[in-house]
Amino acid sequence: MSGELYEPETVWEFEMGDRVKFGVGASSELPSAIHEHGASSALFVTDQGVADAGIVDHLRGVLDDHDIETAVHAAVEPEPSVAVYDEAIRAAETFDAELVVGVGGGSSMDVAKTASALLGDDGSVLDYAAPPIGEGRSVPATGRPCLCIPTTSGTGSETSPVAVVSVAAENRKIGLSDRRLRPAMALVDPTLVTSLPPAPTAFSGMDALGHAIESYSAVRYDAKPRPSTPEERPDYNGRSLLTDQLARKAIELVGDNLRRAVDNGNDLDARRNMALASLLAGMAFTNAGTTAAHALAMATGAVVDIPHGVAVAIFLPEVMRYNAQSAPERFDEIVALLGADDTTATASEAVEELRHDVGVADGLGEFGVTEDRVGELADRTIGMDRLLSRNARRMTRDDAERILRRAL
């Protein structure tokens, strides 16, 4: 008899966008960032709300007297569909953009990253999705640079190699994942977030917390099989000492600042700290990975009209309860990092307290989800193999059903 013995992974990798500019006024350095990439034309990709708020006009004004031609594509929608992505790619081709600037929340930045990477390439965005939804093509190396300027604090898209696409024909949300989708630079300016209303401030902040907690409690890099070649190592390769440090600080920053940012959007110190929390959590989860709370949120969000950050906030405490036995010391530490008043509280209770304080819904029932949909949502969740494989505790369909019922 012969066979191959299990070989654990022994190497972790860490990646992020080429550079980050962070701080009050970082967006004013946009002309330098564009010229640094040798571009003389830039397409701004955003949504109509950000455009109406005057943020894009402000950024275009920053480019005055710098010999940079600009155009605006303000047609991104929440949970962007294949058509939204393809339309942005066509807009970049029509303008012949030498560089793309994504301005807004995660959807706008995801669309901008994809449009820049696929500019000039034939086919649809779905060609680059993994089978069976897409053809699994690799993103070409012929795209244009992308700069990302977030106007929310939560998604982490400004440093990630992923773009989330809603596929209506399949009633699914999928993630395109490729290292060439990472932006060339992120310009994180807290002043651009001060006008964000309390509700999306809360939603996006809870999403950042989900990124941080899930990357901090994900499967460790050396608790999984070694890939056959370095090229086969996944982008999300498990938590490491470095991702732990980023996640830990992000959790602490959210615990100290999200309530303040929701209560007073002009509290620039709180906004700065939430922007930093989002950035650090984004750097952590785009290397360690997210887990079951995001699997449940994506599965539910594909068929239920619910903001992604709200779905994460609803599922996160339930998944933490489920996972607590696998890493009790980590969940005990999360209580302290969140600064919970009750030091005897569990980590899931501390998250629920924060969720309540910032006014986020505490159950799926508020979005019309009833008991009769639990089976369907459990089936969809179990299909999220990529995310569930990183969860600290193995999850079955019955486990997913129990979590969904608790989340109603």
Side-chain angles (χ1 to χ4, degrees):
M1 295 179 65
S2 64
E4 295 183 3
L5 296 177
Y6 168 73
E7 289 189 58
E9 174 67 283
T10 59
V11 175
W12 57 265
E13 295 187 27
F14 185 89
E15 286 194 76
M16 56 175 285
D18 287 348
R19 288 174 62 192
V20 173
K21 290 177 180 280
F22 180 94
V24 172
S27 61
S28 67
E29 299 189 9
L30 181 60
S32 171
I34 293 175
H35 283 311
E36 191 175 305
H37 288 89
S40 59
S41 65
L43 176 70
F44 287 87
V45 174
T46 190
D47 62 68
Q48 195 58 54
V50 170
D52 290 344
I55 293 174
V56 175
D57 286 342
H58 165 74
L59 293 172
R60 295 180 82 186
V62 168
L63 298 179
D64 286 347
D65 304 321
H66 287 279
D67 297 321
I68 299 171
E69 184 183 2
T70 64
V72 178
H73 178 73
V76 178
E77 300 171 355
E79 317 294 344
S81 65
V82 174
V84 169
Y85 277 88
D86 287 344
E87 184 181 351
I89 295 169
R90 288 194 298 271
E93 291 171 343
T94 299
F95 179 60
D96 195 20
E98 296 179 359
L99 180 144
V100 177
V101 183
V103 184
S107 294
S108 291
M109 291 188 285
D110 282 359
V111 172
K113 294 186 301 186
T114 307
S116 67
L118 300 185
L119 198 159
D121 195 65
D122 295 332
S124 166
V125 66
L126 275 191
D127 295 338
Y128 302 90
I133 299 296
E135 297 180 8
R137 289 167 58 180
S138 296
V139 172
T142 54
R144 306 290 191 272
C146 179
L147 311 182
C148 280
I149 304 177
T151 62
T152 66
S153 298
T155 69
S157 182
E158 66 270 19
T159 64
S160 86
V162 168
V164 178
V165 186
S166 294
V167 185
E170 301 284 340
N171 275 337
R172 290 181 63 179
K173 289 168 68 174
I174 61 168
L176 304 182
S177 182
D178 193 288
R179 288 167 177 167
R180 293 193 175 107
L181 290 180
R182 288 189 188 271
M185 186 184 294
L187 294 90
V188 185
D189 188 340
T191 61
L192 300 183
V193 191
T194 55
S195 61
L196 190 68
T201 296
F203 303 166
S204 56
M206 292 301 295
D207 192 20
L209 181 62
H211 293 154
I213 288 176
E214 289 200 282
S215 58
Y216 191 57
S217 57
V219 169
R220 203 170 64 186
Y221 77 95
D222 56 357
K224 56 188 182 62
R226 181 202 304 255
S228 299
T229 66
E231 291 75 22
E232 293 178 24
R233 181 174 294 120
D235 291 336
Y236 299 104
N237 56 92
R239 63 177 173 86
S240 65
L241 180 62
L242 180 52
T243 62
D244 279 354
Q245 299 307 311
L246 296 168
R248 189 181 287 115
K249 187 60 180 179
I251 294 168
E252 183 179 30
L253 286 168
V254 174
D256 288 344
N257 294 278
L258 181 55
R259 293 175 179 88
R260 291 170 51 196
V262 170
D263 290 342
N264 178 8
N266 291 320
D267 183 338
L268 193 54
D269 183 59
R271 290 295 196 182
R272 181 190 299 111
N273 287 331
M274 282 305 302
L276 182 57
S278 176
L279 178 67
L280 297 180
M283 292 163 63
F285 93 82
T286 56
N287 287 278
T290 53
T291 63
H294 269 75
L296 286 152
M298 286 189 68
T300 302
V303 291
V304 176
D305 186 12
I306 180 173
H308 173 72
V310 176
V312 170
I314 290 171
F315 287 119
L316 183 60
E318 302 302 339
V319 170
M320 292 169 69
R321 284 191 184 92
Y322 177 79
N323 285 339
Q325 69 180 47
S326 297
E329 72 291 341
R330 290 198 163 237
F331 287 101
D332 287 345
E333 185 179 7
I334 288 169
V335 179
L337 290 171
L338 285 174
D341 292 333
D342 181 1
T343 55
T344 66
T346 65
S348 57
E349 290 168 343
V351 171
E352 286 174 331
E353 180 183 12
L354 176 59
R355 183 181 67 191
H356 174 269
D357 289 349
V358 298
V360 176
D362 62 3
L364 298 176
E366 297 188 34
F367 299 91
V369 180
T370 53
E371 172 76 24
D372 62 345
R373 300 199 68 181
V374 165
E376 171 201 357
L377 296 178
D379 287 338
R380 290 179 173 277
T381 299
I382 294 303
M384 297 280 183
D385 297 332
R386 182 173 58 89
L387 292 127
L388 294 179
S389 68
R390 298 188 291 264
N391 201 58
R393 182 181 174 191
R394 185 180 293 109
M395 182 173 289
T396 67
R397 185 184 184 281
D398 287 344
D399 296 326
E401 280 199 1
R402 280 190 286 271
I403 290 172
L404 282 156
R405 287 193 178 92
R406 289 180 61 95
L408 287 175

